[in-house]
mmCIF file of all heavy atoms in Angstrom:
data_model
loop_
_atom_site.group_PDB
_atom_site.id
_atom_site.type_symbol
_atom_site.label_atom_id
_atom_site.label_comp_id
_atom_site.label_asym_id
_atom_site.label_seq_id
_atom_site.Cartn_x
_atom_site.Cartn_y
_atom_site.Cartn_z
ATOM 1 N N THR A 42 91.903 -10.100 80.664
ATOM 2 C CA THR A 42 93.131 -10.746 80.215
ATOM 3 C C THR A 42 93.568 -11.763 81.279
ATOM 4 O O THR A 42 94.077 -11.381 82.333
ATOM 5 C CB THR A 42 94.243 -9.713 80.011
ATOM 6 O OG1 THR A 42 94.391 -8.938 81.215
ATOM 7 C CG2 THR A 42 93.894 -8.767 78.862
ATOM 8 N N PRO A 43 93.338 -13.053 81.024
ATOM 9 C CA PRO A 43 93.702 -14.072 82.020
ATOM 10 C C PRO A 43 95.208 -14.090 82.268
ATOM 11 O O PRO A 43 96.002 -13.932 81.346
ATOM 12 C CB PRO A 43 93.221 -15.382 81.387
ATOM 13 C CG PRO A 43 93.111 -15.096 79.932
ATOM 14 C CD PRO A 43 92.773 -13.648 79.802
ATOM 15 N N GLU A 44 95.568 -14.270 83.528
ATOM 16 C CA GLU A 44 96.977 -14.300 83.909
ATOM 17 C C GLU A 44 97.465 -15.739 83.885
ATOM 18 O O GLU A 44 96.866 -16.624 84.486
ATOM 19 C CB GLU A 44 97.154 -13.702 85.311
ATOM 20 C CG GLU A 44 98.592 -13.473 85.700
ATOM 21 C CD GLU A 44 98.692 -12.736 87.027
ATOM 22 O OE1 GLU A 44 97.762 -12.847 87.832
ATOM 23 O OE2 GLU A 44 99.697 -12.048 87.250
ATOM 24 N N GLY A 45 98.560 -16.001 83.199
ATOM 25 C CA GLY A 45 99.113 -17.338 83.125
ATOM 26 C C GLY A 45 99.729 -17.770 84.452
ATOM 27 O O GLY A 45 99.925 -16.964 85.369
ATOM 28 N N PHE A 46 100.062 -19.032 84.536
ATOM 29 C CA PHE A 46 100.636 -19.570 85.768
ATOM 30 C C PHE A 46 102.075 -19.082 85.928
ATOM 31 O O PHE A 46 102.904 -19.236 85.035
ATOM 32 C CB PHE A 46 100.612 -21.103 85.736
ATOM 33 C CG PHE A 46 101.235 -21.730 86.952
ATOM 34 C CD1 PHE A 46 100.671 -21.562 88.198
ATOM 35 C CD2 PHE A 46 102.408 -22.467 86.836
ATOM 36 C CE1 PHE A 46 101.238 -22.140 89.322
ATOM 37 C CE2 PHE A 46 102.987 -23.049 87.947
ATOM 38 C CZ PHE A 46 102.400 -22.887 89.192
ATOM 39 N N ARG A 47 102.353 -18.481 87.070
ATOM 40 C CA ARG A 47 103.712 -18.054 87.368
ATOM 41 C C ARG A 47 103.927 -18.113 88.872
ATOM 42 O O ARG A 47 102.961 -18.216 89.643
ATOM 43 C CB ARG A 47 103.977 -16.644 86.837
ATOM 44 C CG ARG A 47 103.066 -15.566 87.366
ATOM 45 C CD ARG A 47 103.284 -14.238 86.645
ATOM 46 N NE ARG A 47 102.471 -13.176 87.212
ATOM 47 C CZ ARG A 47 102.824 -12.408 88.243
ATOM 48 N NH1 ARG A 47 104.010 -12.603 88.811
ATOM 49 N NH2 ARG A 47 102.036 -11.455 88.702
ATOM 50 N N THR A 48 105.162 -18.069 89.287
ATOM 51 C CA THR A 48 105.499 -18.210 90.708
ATOM 52 C C THR A 48 106.394 -17.053 91.146
ATOM 53 O O THR A 48 107.618 -17.153 91.113
ATOM 54 C CB THR A 48 106.199 -19.551 90.981
ATOM 55 O OG1 THR A 48 107.359 -19.657 90.131
ATOM 56 C CG2 THR A 48 105.267 -20.710 90.702
ATOM 57 N N PRO A 49 105.799 -15.925 91.559
ATOM 58 C CA PRO A 49 106.605 -14.824 92.072
ATOM 59 C C PRO A 49 107.334 -15.211 93.366
ATOM 60 O O PRO A 49 107.164 -16.309 93.881
ATOM 61 C CB PRO A 49 105.597 -13.711 92.310
ATOM 62 C CG PRO A 49 104.259 -14.277 92.076
ATOM 63 C CD PRO A 49 104.383 -15.667 91.575
ATOM 64 N N TRP A 50 108.069 -14.249 93.894
ATOM 65 C CA TRP A 50 109.008 -14.488 94.993
ATOM 66 C C TRP A 50 108.418 -15.314 96.143
ATOM 67 O O TRP A 50 108.934 -16.392 96.476
ATOM 68 C CB TRP A 50 109.509 -13.131 95.509
ATOM 69 C CG TRP A 50 110.341 -13.244 96.731
ATOM 70 C CD1 TRP A 50 111.496 -13.963 96.883
ATOM 71 C CD2 TRP A 50 110.075 -12.640 97.997
ATOM 72 N NE1 TRP A 50 111.976 -13.832 98.154
ATOM 73 C CE2 TRP A 50 111.121 -13.016 98.867
ATOM 74 C CE3 TRP A 50 109.080 -11.788 98.482
ATOM 75 C CZ2 TRP A 50 111.185 -12.589 100.194
ATOM 76 C CZ3 TRP A 50 109.145 -11.364 99.780
ATOM 77 C CH2 TRP A 50 110.181 -11.764 100.623
ATOM 78 N N LEU A 51 107.348 -14.844 96.787
ATOM 79 C CA LEU A 51 106.795 -15.567 97.933
ATOM 80 C C LEU A 51 106.330 -16.966 97.551
ATOM 81 O O LEU A 51 106.448 -17.903 98.344
ATOM 82 C CB LEU A 51 105.616 -14.783 98.524
ATOM 83 C CG LEU A 51 105.946 -13.547 99.359
ATOM 84 C CD1 LEU A 51 104.661 -12.865 99.804
ATOM 85 C CD2 LEU A 51 106.789 -13.914 100.578
ATOM 86 N N TYR A 52 105.804 -17.097 96.347
ATOM 87 C CA TYR A 52 105.242 -18.375 95.910
ATOM 88 C C TYR A 52 106.322 -19.378 95.482
ATOM 89 O O TYR A 52 106.000 -20.513 95.147
ATOM 90 C CB TYR A 52 104.252 -18.132 94.772
ATOM 91 C CG TYR A 52 102.997 -17.445 95.264
ATOM 92 C CD1 TYR A 52 102.960 -16.075 95.441
ATOM 93 C CD2 TYR A 52 101.858 -18.178 95.590
ATOM 94 C CE1 TYR A 52 101.820 -15.442 95.907
ATOM 95 C CE2 TYR A 52 100.715 -17.557 96.053
ATOM 96 C CZ TYR A 52 100.704 -16.183 96.219
ATOM 97 O OH TYR A 52 99.577 -15.568 96.699
ATOM 98 N N ARG A 53 107.563 -18.962 95.530
ATOM 99 C CA ARG A 53 108.652 -19.916 95.336
ATOM 100 C C ARG A 53 109.094 -20.524 96.658
ATOM 101 O O ARG A 53 109.895 -21.454 96.671
ATOM 102 C CB ARG A 53 109.836 -19.233 94.633
ATOM 103 C CG ARG A 53 109.545 -18.856 93.194
ATOM 104 C CD ARG A 53 110.802 -18.561 92.420
ATOM 105 N NE ARG A 53 111.486 -17.370 92.899
ATOM 106 C CZ ARG A 53 111.260 -16.138 92.434
ATOM 107 N NH1 ARG A 53 110.360 -15.943 91.461
ATOM 108 N NH2 ARG A 53 111.915 -15.099 92.910
ATOM 109 N N ARG A 54 108.592 -19.988 97.761
ATOM 110 C CA ARG A 54 108.895 -20.533 99.087
ATOM 111 C C ARG A 54 107.767 -21.403 99.619
ATOM 112 O O ARG A 54 108.003 -22.474 100.160
ATOM 113 C CB ARG A 54 109.161 -19.381 100.076
ATOM 114 C CG ARG A 54 110.306 -18.464 99.681
ATOM 115 C CD ARG A 54 111.613 -19.203 99.589
ATOM 116 N NE ARG A 54 111.987 -19.812 100.861
ATOM 117 C CZ ARG A 54 112.946 -20.711 100.981
ATOM 118 N NH1 ARG A 54 113.619 -21.110 99.928
ATOM 119 N NH2 ARG A 54 113.239 -21.224 102.161
ATOM 120 N N VAL A 55 106.531 -20.921 99.487
ATOM 121 C CA VAL A 55 105.353 -21.704 99.867
ATOM 122 C C VAL A 55 104.261 -21.448 98.831
ATOM 123 O O VAL A 55 104.222 -20.383 98.220
ATOM 124 C CB VAL A 55 104.831 -21.356 101.282
ATOM 125 C CG1 VAL A 55 105.811 -21.792 102.353
ATOM 126 C CG2 VAL A 55 104.521 -19.882 101.412
ATOM 127 N N ARG A 56 103.357 -22.403 98.683
ATOM 128 C CA ARG A 56 102.305 -22.260 97.672
ATOM 129 C C ARG A 56 101.192 -21.317 98.129
ATOM 130 O O ARG A 56 100.467 -20.769 97.296
ATOM 131 C CB ARG A 56 101.704 -23.639 97.342
ATOM 132 C CG ARG A 56 102.707 -24.637 96.802
ATOM 133 C CD ARG A 56 102.035 -25.804 96.096
ATOM 134 N NE ARG A 56 101.136 -26.573 96.920
ATOM 135 C CZ ARG A 56 101.493 -27.585 97.706
ATOM 136 N NH1 ARG A 56 102.775 -27.917 97.812
ATOM 137 N NH2 ARG A 56 100.602 -28.259 98.398
ATOM 138 N N HIS A 57 101.047 -21.150 99.439
ATOM 139 C CA HIS A 57 99.932 -20.345 99.952
ATOM 140 C C HIS A 57 100.427 -19.369 101.024
ATOM 141 O O HIS A 57 100.075 -19.493 102.203
ATOM 142 C CB HIS A 57 98.844 -21.262 100.511
ATOM 143 C CG HIS A 57 98.345 -22.283 99.540
ATOM 144 N ND1 HIS A 57 97.531 -21.949 98.471
ATOM 145 C CD2 HIS A 57 98.582 -23.616 99.449
ATOM 146 C CE1 HIS A 57 97.261 -23.050 97.783
ATOM 147 N NE2 HIS A 57 97.895 -24.054 98.333
ATOM 148 N N PRO A 58 101.217 -18.374 100.633
ATOM 149 C CA PRO A 58 101.747 -17.433 101.629
ATOM 150 C C PRO A 58 100.663 -16.616 102.330
ATOM 151 O O PRO A 58 100.818 -16.263 103.506
ATOM 152 C CB PRO A 58 102.681 -16.542 100.805
ATOM 153 C CG PRO A 58 102.206 -16.669 99.393
ATOM 154 C CD PRO A 58 101.696 -18.065 99.269
ATOM 155 N N MET A 59 99.570 -16.333 101.641
ATOM 156 C CA MET A 59 98.508 -15.554 102.276
ATOM 157 C C MET A 59 97.893 -16.329 103.437
ATOM 158 O O MET A 59 97.692 -15.795 104.533
ATOM 159 C CB MET A 59 97.429 -15.198 101.251
ATOM 160 C CG MET A 59 96.442 -14.161 101.746
ATOM 161 S SD MET A 59 95.150 -13.785 100.536
ATOM 162 C CE MET A 59 96.176 -13.289 99.145
ATOM 163 N N MET A 60 97.623 -17.604 103.211
ATOM 164 C CA MET A 60 97.046 -18.416 104.274
ATOM 165 C C MET A 60 98.047 -18.640 105.401
ATOM 166 O O MET A 60 97.673 -18.710 106.578
ATOM 167 C CB MET A 60 96.581 -19.764 103.710
ATOM 168 C CG MET A 60 95.460 -19.656 102.690
ATOM 169 S SD MET A 60 93.975 -18.817 103.324
ATOM 170 C CE MET A 60 94.093 -17.210 102.546
ATOM 171 N N LYS A 61 99.324 -18.724 105.053
ATOM 172 C CA LYS A 61 100.359 -18.824 106.086
ATOM 173 C C LYS A 61 100.319 -17.591 106.985
ATOM 174 O O LYS A 61 100.422 -17.693 108.219
ATOM 175 C CB LYS A 61 101.734 -18.965 105.442
ATOM 176 C CG LYS A 61 102.882 -19.055 106.455
ATOM 177 C CD LYS A 61 104.212 -19.138 105.747
ATOM 178 C CE LYS A 61 105.358 -19.188 106.759
ATOM 179 N NZ LYS A 61 105.344 -20.405 107.562
ATOM 180 N N GLY A 62 100.149 -16.416 106.383
ATOM 181 C CA GLY A 62 100.058 -15.190 107.158
ATOM 182 C C GLY A 62 98.871 -15.202 108.108
ATOM 183 O O GLY A 62 98.987 -14.804 109.278
ATOM 184 N N PHE A 63 97.718 -15.672 107.636
ATOM 185 C CA PHE A 63 96.543 -15.775 108.497
ATOM 186 C C PHE A 63 96.806 -16.708 109.674
ATOM 187 O O PHE A 63 96.413 -16.414 110.814
ATOM 188 C CB PHE A 63 95.336 -16.284 107.705
ATOM 189 C CG PHE A 63 94.633 -15.220 106.914
ATOM 190 C CD1 PHE A 63 94.479 -15.342 105.540
ATOM 191 C CD2 PHE A 63 94.126 -14.095 107.532
ATOM 192 C CE1 PHE A 63 93.839 -14.366 104.800
ATOM 193 C CE2 PHE A 63 93.477 -13.098 106.799
ATOM 194 C CZ PHE A 63 93.339 -13.245 105.432
ATOM 195 N N LEU A 64 97.460 -17.835 109.423
ATOM 196 C CA LEU A 64 97.729 -18.800 110.490
ATOM 197 C C LEU A 64 98.677 -18.220 111.535
ATOM 198 O O LEU A 64 98.502 -18.449 112.735
ATOM 199 C CB LEU A 64 98.307 -20.087 109.894
ATOM 200 C CG LEU A 64 97.327 -20.901 109.037
ATOM 201 C CD1 LEU A 64 98.041 -22.047 108.337
ATOM 202 C CD2 LEU A 64 96.163 -21.436 109.869
ATOM 203 N N LEU A 65 99.679 -17.459 111.096
ATOM 204 C CA LEU A 65 100.576 -16.804 112.056
ATOM 205 C C LEU A 65 99.805 -15.819 112.923
ATOM 206 O O LEU A 65 100.016 -15.742 114.142
ATOM 207 C CB LEU A 65 101.695 -16.086 111.310
ATOM 208 C CG LEU A 65 102.725 -16.964 110.602
ATOM 209 C CD1 LEU A 65 103.706 -16.098 109.815
ATOM 210 C CD2 LEU A 65 103.469 -17.845 111.585
ATOM 211 N N LEU A 66 98.906 -15.059 112.316
ATOM 212 C CA LEU A 66 98.093 -14.106 113.069
ATOM 213 C C LEU A 66 97.235 -14.825 114.102
ATOM 214 O O LEU A 66 97.122 -14.392 115.256
ATOM 215 C CB LEU A 66 97.206 -13.312 112.109
ATOM 216 C CG LEU A 66 96.121 -12.431 112.745
ATOM 217 C CD1 LEU A 66 96.743 -11.317 113.579
ATOM 218 C CD2 LEU A 66 95.192 -11.852 111.673
ATOM 219 N N LEU A 67 96.640 -15.934 113.720
ATOM 220 C CA LEU A 67 95.704 -16.638 114.600
ATOM 221 C C LEU A 67 96.393 -17.313 115.783
ATOM 222 O O LEU A 67 95.874 -17.305 116.905
ATOM 223 C CB LEU A 67 94.932 -17.684 113.799
ATOM 224 C CG LEU A 67 93.916 -17.159 112.773
ATOM 225 C CD1 LEU A 67 93.420 -18.297 111.898
ATOM 226 C CD2 LEU A 67 92.755 -16.465 113.472
ATOM 227 N N TRP A 68 97.578 -17.914 115.536
ATOM 228 C CA TRP A 68 98.162 -18.795 116.538
ATOM 229 C C TRP A 68 99.275 -18.174 117.375
ATOM 230 O O TRP A 68 99.565 -18.678 118.469
ATOM 231 C CB TRP A 68 98.665 -20.072 115.873
ATOM 232 C CG TRP A 68 97.554 -20.956 115.425
ATOM 233 C CD1 TRP A 68 97.073 -21.109 114.155
ATOM 234 C CD2 TRP A 68 96.733 -21.787 116.247
ATOM 235 N NE1 TRP A 68 96.016 -21.987 114.127
ATOM 236 C CE2 TRP A 68 95.790 -22.419 115.404
ATOM 237 C CE3 TRP A 68 96.703 -22.062 117.610
ATOM 238 C CZ2 TRP A 68 94.833 -23.311 115.877
ATOM 239 C CZ3 TRP A 68 95.749 -22.961 118.093
ATOM 240 C CH2 TRP A 68 94.831 -23.565 117.227
ATOM 241 N N ALA A 69 99.909 -17.099 116.910
ATOM 242 C CA ALA A 69 101.021 -16.503 117.674
ATOM 243 C C ALA A 69 100.476 -15.527 118.711
ATOM 244 O O ALA A 69 100.856 -14.357 118.759
ATOM 245 C CB ALA A 69 102.001 -15.822 116.731
ATOM 246 N N ALA A 70 99.585 -15.997 119.545
ATOM 247 C CA ALA A 70 98.912 -15.135 120.528
ATOM 248 C C ALA A 70 99.625 -15.238 121.874
ATOM 249 O O ALA A 70 99.755 -16.332 122.420
ATOM 250 C CB ALA A 70 97.453 -15.566 120.681
ATOM 251 N N PRO A 71 100.069 -14.119 122.435
ATOM 252 C CA PRO A 71 100.707 -14.172 123.755
ATOM 253 C C PRO A 71 99.763 -14.693 124.839
ATOM 254 O O PRO A 71 100.211 -15.311 125.798
ATOM 255 C CB PRO A 71 101.091 -12.711 124.024
ATOM 256 C CG PRO A 71 101.130 -12.069 122.686
ATOM 257 C CD PRO A 71 100.095 -12.771 121.862
ATOM 258 N N GLN A 72 98.482 -14.418 124.690
ATOM 259 C CA GLN A 72 97.489 -14.948 125.629
ATOM 260 C C GLN A 72 96.440 -15.717 124.839
ATOM 261 O O GLN A 72 95.744 -15.150 124.006
ATOM 262 C CB GLN A 72 96.830 -13.827 126.438
ATOM 263 C CG GLN A 72 95.862 -14.351 127.499
ATOM 264 C CD GLN A 72 95.262 -13.247 128.336
ATOM 265 O OE1 GLN A 72 95.344 -12.070 127.991
ATOM 266 N NE2 GLN A 72 94.636 -13.600 129.458
ATOM 267 N N MET A 73 96.336 -16.997 125.110
ATOM 268 C CA MET A 73 95.376 -17.847 124.406
ATOM 269 C C MET A 73 94.241 -18.200 125.354
ATOM 270 O O MET A 73 94.417 -18.931 126.324
ATOM 271 C CB MET A 73 96.048 -19.121 123.896
ATOM 272 C CG MET A 73 95.120 -20.070 123.155
ATOM 273 S SD MET A 73 94.420 -19.362 121.635
ATOM 274 C CE MET A 73 95.853 -19.394 120.536
ATOM 275 N N THR A 74 93.072 -17.638 125.078
ATOM 276 C CA THR A 74 91.880 -17.959 125.857
ATOM 277 C C THR A 74 91.069 -19.027 125.118
ATOM 278 O O THR A 74 91.339 -19.351 123.962
ATOM 279 C CB THR A 74 91.023 -16.703 126.052
ATOM 280 O OG1 THR A 74 90.712 -16.142 124.771
ATOM 281 C CG2 THR A 74 91.762 -15.668 126.894
ATOM 282 N N ALA A 75 90.063 -19.550 125.797
ATOM 283 C CA ALA A 75 89.259 -20.616 125.201
ATOM 284 C C ALA A 75 88.561 -20.147 123.933
ATOM 285 O O ALA A 75 88.492 -20.882 122.939
ATOM 286 C CB ALA A 75 88.239 -21.124 126.220
ATOM 287 N N ASP A 76 88.043 -18.915 123.945
ATOM 288 C CA ASP A 76 87.348 -18.430 122.753
ATOM 289 C C ASP A 76 88.325 -18.161 121.614
ATOM 290 O O ASP A 76 88.001 -18.370 120.443
ATOM 291 C CB ASP A 76 86.538 -17.168 123.078
ATOM 292 C CG ASP A 76 87.402 -16.035 123.585
ATOM 293 O OD1 ASP A 76 88.150 -16.258 124.551
ATOM 294 O OD2 ASP A 76 87.346 -14.927 123.016
ATOM 295 N N HIS A 77 89.542 -17.703 121.953
ATOM 296 C CA HIS A 77 90.555 -17.489 120.913
ATOM 297 C C HIS A 77 90.964 -18.820 120.298
ATOM 298 O O HIS A 77 91.183 -18.915 119.083
ATOM 299 C CB HIS A 77 91.773 -16.790 121.510
ATOM 300 C CG HIS A 77 92.710 -16.227 120.486
ATOM 301 N ND1 HIS A 77 93.548 -15.176 120.745
ATOM 302 C CD2 HIS A 77 92.941 -16.572 119.185
ATOM 303 C CE1 HIS A 77 94.259 -14.893 119.655
ATOM 304 N NE2 HIS A 77 93.897 -15.739 118.712
ATOM 305 N N LEU A 78 91.056 -19.866 121.129
ATOM 306 C CA LEU A 78 91.379 -21.191 120.605
ATOM 307 C C LEU A 78 90.293 -21.667 119.642
ATOM 308 O O LEU A 78 90.596 -22.237 118.581
ATOM 309 C CB LEU A 78 91.532 -22.183 121.753
ATOM 310 C CG LEU A 78 91.864 -23.623 121.339
ATOM 311 C CD1 LEU A 78 93.223 -23.694 120.654
ATOM 312 C CD2 LEU A 78 91.829 -24.548 122.558
ATOM 313 N N LEU A 79 89.037 -21.430 120.005
ATOM 314 C CA LEU A 79 87.943 -21.809 119.113
ATOM 315 C C LEU A 79 88.053 -21.063 117.789
ATOM 316 O O LEU A 79 87.914 -21.656 116.709
ATOM 317 C CB LEU A 79 86.598 -21.496 119.770
ATOM 318 C CG LEU A 79 85.365 -21.703 118.877
ATOM 319 C CD1 LEU A 79 85.169 -23.179 118.556
ATOM 320 C CD2 LEU A 79 84.109 -21.130 119.539
ATOM 321 N N LEU A 80 88.310 -19.756 117.846
ATOM 322 C CA LEU A 80 88.432 -18.954 116.634
ATOM 323 C C LEU A 80 89.596 -19.449 115.779
ATOM 324 O O LEU A 80 89.446 -19.653 114.564
ATOM 325 C CB LEU A 80 88.642 -17.485 117.005
ATOM 326 C CG LEU A 80 88.786 -16.507 115.837
ATOM 327 C CD1 LEU A 80 87.455 -16.322 115.127
ATOM 328 C CD2 LEU A 80 89.321 -15.164 116.324
ATOM 329 N N SER A 81 90.752 -19.665 116.402
ATOM 330 C CA SER A 81 91.942 -20.091 115.659
ATOM 331 C C SER A 81 91.749 -21.481 115.062
ATOM 332 O O SER A 81 92.078 -21.721 113.892
ATOM 333 C CB SER A 81 93.166 -20.077 116.576
ATOM 334 O OG SER A 81 93.421 -18.778 117.057
ATOM 335 N N ALA A 82 91.220 -22.406 115.848
ATOM 336 C CA ALA A 82 91.040 -23.771 115.357
ATOM 337 C C ALA A 82 89.989 -23.816 114.252
ATOM 338 O O ALA A 82 90.177 -24.491 113.228
ATOM 339 C CB ALA A 82 90.637 -24.694 116.512
ATOM 340 N N GLY A 83 88.889 -23.098 114.441
ATOM 341 C CA GLY A 83 87.829 -23.113 113.435
ATOM 342 C C GLY A 83 88.265 -22.506 112.118
ATOM 343 O O GLY A 83 88.031 -23.083 111.045
ATOM 344 N N LEU A 84 88.922 -21.345 112.179
ATOM 345 C CA LEU A 84 89.380 -20.709 110.946
ATOM 346 C C LEU A 84 90.505 -21.507 110.291
ATOM 347 O O LEU A 84 90.595 -21.566 109.062
ATOM 348 C CB LEU A 84 89.844 -19.277 111.232
ATOM 349 C CG LEU A 84 88.738 -18.294 111.602
ATOM 350 C CD1 LEU A 84 89.318 -16.901 111.827
ATOM 351 C CD2 LEU A 84 87.641 -18.239 110.545
ATOM 352 N N SER A 85 91.354 -22.131 111.100
ATOM 353 C CA SER A 85 92.424 -22.961 110.532
ATOM 354 C C SER A 85 91.838 -24.159 109.792
ATOM 355 O O SER A 85 92.308 -24.526 108.702
ATOM 356 C CB SER A 85 93.368 -23.449 111.636
ATOM 357 O OG SER A 85 94.004 -22.360 112.268
ATOM 358 N N LEU A 86 90.823 -24.780 110.382
ATOM 359 C CA LEU A 86 90.160 -25.906 109.715
ATOM 360 C C LEU A 86 89.540 -25.459 108.402
ATOM 361 O O LEU A 86 89.674 -26.146 107.373
ATOM 362 C CB LEU A 86 89.090 -26.494 110.638
ATOM 363 C CG LEU A 86 88.251 -27.642 110.050
ATOM 364 C CD1 LEU A 86 89.149 -28.832 109.701
ATOM 365 C CD2 LEU A 86 87.153 -28.054 111.028
ATOM 366 N N TYR A 87 88.889 -24.307 108.420
ATOM 367 C CA TYR A 87 88.278 -23.797 107.191
ATOM 368 C C TYR A 87 89.337 -23.498 106.138
ATOM 369 O O TYR A 87 89.147 -23.786 104.945
ATOM 370 C CB TYR A 87 87.465 -22.538 107.490
ATOM 371 C CG TYR A 87 86.772 -22.019 106.258
ATOM 372 C CD1 TYR A 87 85.619 -22.635 105.781
ATOM 373 C CD2 TYR A 87 87.287 -20.944 105.549
ATOM 374 C CE1 TYR A 87 84.996 -22.190 104.637
ATOM 375 C CE2 TYR A 87 86.665 -20.490 104.406
ATOM 376 C CZ TYR A 87 85.519 -21.115 103.949
ATOM 377 O OH TYR A 87 84.915 -20.668 102.805
#
């Protein structure tokens, strides 16, 4: 049963809340090392 287009609570604030959550996880690091920067930048680009 295909689901029609709708905009629940989070999706009325941003179109991609899941990806926003991933970006917060990647970048809000108290200690940013070179390898963490590579991981965060690479996954953010993807």
Side-chain angles (χ1 to χ4, degrees):
T42 54
E44 190 173 26
F46 178 65
R47 59 188 184 87
T48 56
W50 173 58
L51 284 177
Y52 290 82
R53 291 196 294 270
R54 301 299 300 167
V55 292
R56 300 198 300 274
H57 305 287
M59 192 181 303
M60 296 303 104
K61 179 182 178 66
F63 279 122
L64 292 172
L65 291 176
L66 170 64
L67 290 170
W68 289 102
Q72 184 177 14
M73 180 63 74
T74 56
D76 60 306
H77 194 155
L78 180 64
L79 174 67
L80 180 71
S81 298
L84 291 181
S85 298
L86 177 62
Y87 182 77

